[in-house]
Amino acid sequence: MLSRLSLTGAALCRGFSTSAQSNTRVAVLGASGGIGQPLSLLLKNSPLVSKLTLYDIAHTPGVAADLSHIETRAEVTGFLGPDQLHECLKDADVVVIPAGVPRKPGMTRDDLFNTNATIVANLTEACAKHCPEAMICIISNPVNSTIPITSEVFKKHGVYNPNRIFGVTTLDIVRANTFVAELKGLDPARVNVPVIGGHAGKTIIPVISQCTPKVEFPQDQLAALTGRIQEAGTEVVKAKAGAGSATLSMAYAGTRFVFSLLDAMNGKEGVIECSFVRSEETASPYFSTPLLLGKNGIEKNLGLGKLSPFEEKLVSEAMDELKASIKKGEEFVKSRK
């Protein structure tokens, strides 16, 4: 279903070579952080980006100056502090938000809620005011709550369009592709595993039965592989031993999603990526599934497809946690003055 040939963003992200050019303005909010810097570097490499505006509460002039010396066409400007945020967002076509605090050992993504919920609410409020038509790509965790927060903020300002708000779950797909390829001795660039549900622990549901090329695993190995994909973020947090979370692989995955979105906005057909979005596919009001992307964001939600009994059970087991995280995000915005 998900031919890698259609995932031009993924191909672009690997090779940085395309003849396509566009005049697209991309803003990165949280551009000085562990994800923001490598993400901005990868975006600077793309001929699809003509203007790259970088925002953070520290160091953005330096990051922008550094990136501006790279011999690619994107013009880079840095903006520092809340007084300059509106200028960073002016005329933005795509806004990518990796801002927030990272996980440390022993923390769940939900432990980040109190700090990151406020950061995301403030930043998306600025987006709703200054670039309400832009595509909004949220990387800040917990995504299962920050996407409902973004939606509620846009609703408050009367500019909500669910087809333009995306929770970037691409790292789950990237990890699933890598881990399956390792186990089967395949080229990971040729493997595609849809990952549905949410973006935390057991809400991450790799649909290995729909993998291309087709692969099969004994049940015990399938369960272990699924668990590894679900807890891969924690694997990195532990390995970094307090020095941060998955930043480089997240920057790569975020770039892959943005490039796919830019391709679709520029008229390329058949561009498919999974993302955590407003959804009517399940009992959960937000759910990640493969999406056909187009000029105006989501062109069509492709749904869950045929699931194995094991995968159906994973979906069922994820529902309570997903709904609770979504409600927590929605209630947060309603309780804000």
Side-chain angles (χ1 to χ4, degrees):
M1 178 176 79
L2 287 152
S3 163
R4 182 51 66 88
L5 293 174
S6 71
L7 296 177
T8 316
L12 243 178
C13 204
R14 289 188 176 89
F16 301 128
S17 60
T18 175
S19 56
Q21 282 199 358
S22 72
N23 291 310
T24 307
R25 184 170 176 134
V26 178
V28 180
L29 310 185
S32 300
I35 296 168
Q37 288 202 43
L39 174 74
S40 300
L41 170 64
L42 293 170
L43 291 170
K44 172 73 172 111
N45 266 295
S46 173
L48 295 171
V49 179
S50 58
K51 286 194 187 302
L52 185 59
T53 60
L54 310 181
Y55 171 81
D56 215 318
I57 55 171
H59 310 307
T60 26
V63 174
D66 196 355
L67 288 177
S68 71
H69 294 181
I70 292 171
E71 55 185 355
T72 55
R73 70 188 285 257
E75 184 185 302
V76 187
T77 317
F79 298 89
L80 188 64
D83 292 346
Q84 296 183 7
L85 179 54
H86 70 283
E87 195 59 35
C88 178
L89 294 171
K90 188 181 174 191
D91 301 325
D93 299 297
V94 177
V95 181
V96 194
I97 307 184
V101 294
R103 276 201 293 163
K104 295 199 164 58
M107 290 175 78
T108 66
R109 287 181 180 90
D110 201 50
D111 291 333
L112 303 173
F113 182 89
N114 290 337
T115 303
N116 288 359
T118 301
I119 292 169
V120 170
N122 290 338
L123 293 175
T124 54
E125 190 151 23
C127 294
K129 287 177 184 171
H130 302 295
C131 56
E133 297 287 307
M135 305 290 178
I136 310 294
C137 305
I138 305 287
I139 291 171
S140 312
N141 273 316
V143 166
N144 292 357
S145 298
T146 54
I147 283 297
I149 287 171
T150 303
S151 298
E152 293 303 313
V153 166
F154 270 67
K155 284 178 193 173
K156 267 192 172 179
H157 288 270
V159 292
Y160 178 54
N161 182 344
N163 294 328
R164 291 173 176 262
I165 295 174
F166 301 92
V168 180
T169 61
T170 317
L171 183 51
D172 299 326
I173 291 93
V174 166
R175 286 167 167 158
N177 295 344
T178 302
F179 300 165
V180 167
E182 284 172 357
L183 289 171
K184 292 295 184 185
L186 300 167
D187 175 359
R190 296 279 165 244
V191 175
N192 198 76
V193 180
V195 180
I196 64 173
H199 185 58
K202 68 179 183 183
T203 71
I204 298 168
I205 302 160
V207 188
I208 291 163
S209 68
Q210 293 177 21
C211 176
T212 51
K214 188 163 178 53
V215 293
E216 289 185 356
F217 295 97
Q219 185 56 39
D220 59 340
Q221 196 177 19
L222 178 64
L225 172 60
T226 298
R228 188 184 176 203
I229 294 164
Q230 290 175 331
E231 294 303 326
T234 304
E235 191 177 304
V236 176
V237 169
K238 284 181 179 171
K240 288 194 172 182
S245 56
T247 53
L248 301 174
S249 52
M250 184 62 248
Y252 167 87
T255 307
R256 168 181 150 168
F257 183 80
V258 172
F259 285 172
S260 288
L261 190 54
L262 292 177
D263 277 334
M265 290 166 69
N266 283 306
K268 183 170 180 61
E269 295 184 356
V271 180
I272 297 167
E273 288 282 2
C274 295
S275 180
F276 187 68
V277 297
R278 181 78 199 178
S279 172
E280 294 176 1
E281 298 299 318
T282 69
S284 173
Y286 294 84
F287 203 83
S288 182
T289 42
L291 307 170
L292 179 64
L293 301 175
K295 289 188 175 184
N296 298 305
I298 301 170
E299 197 162 289
K300 186 181 182 187
N301 192 320
L302 301 177
L304 286 71
K306 185 169 174 16
L307 303 181
S308 70
F310 175 67
E311 291 154 357
E312 285 177 351
K313 185 166 179 278
L314 292 176
V315 170
S316 166
E317 289 171 349
M319 278 298 156
D320 285 349
E321 184 180 323
L322 254 184
K323 287 179 183 175
S325 297
I326 291 163
K327 188 176 180 189
K328 190 173 180 180
E330 291 174 339
E331 295 298 326
F332 175 80
V333 178
K334 285 170 186 167
S335 67
R336 267 167 68 94
K337 290 176 181 168

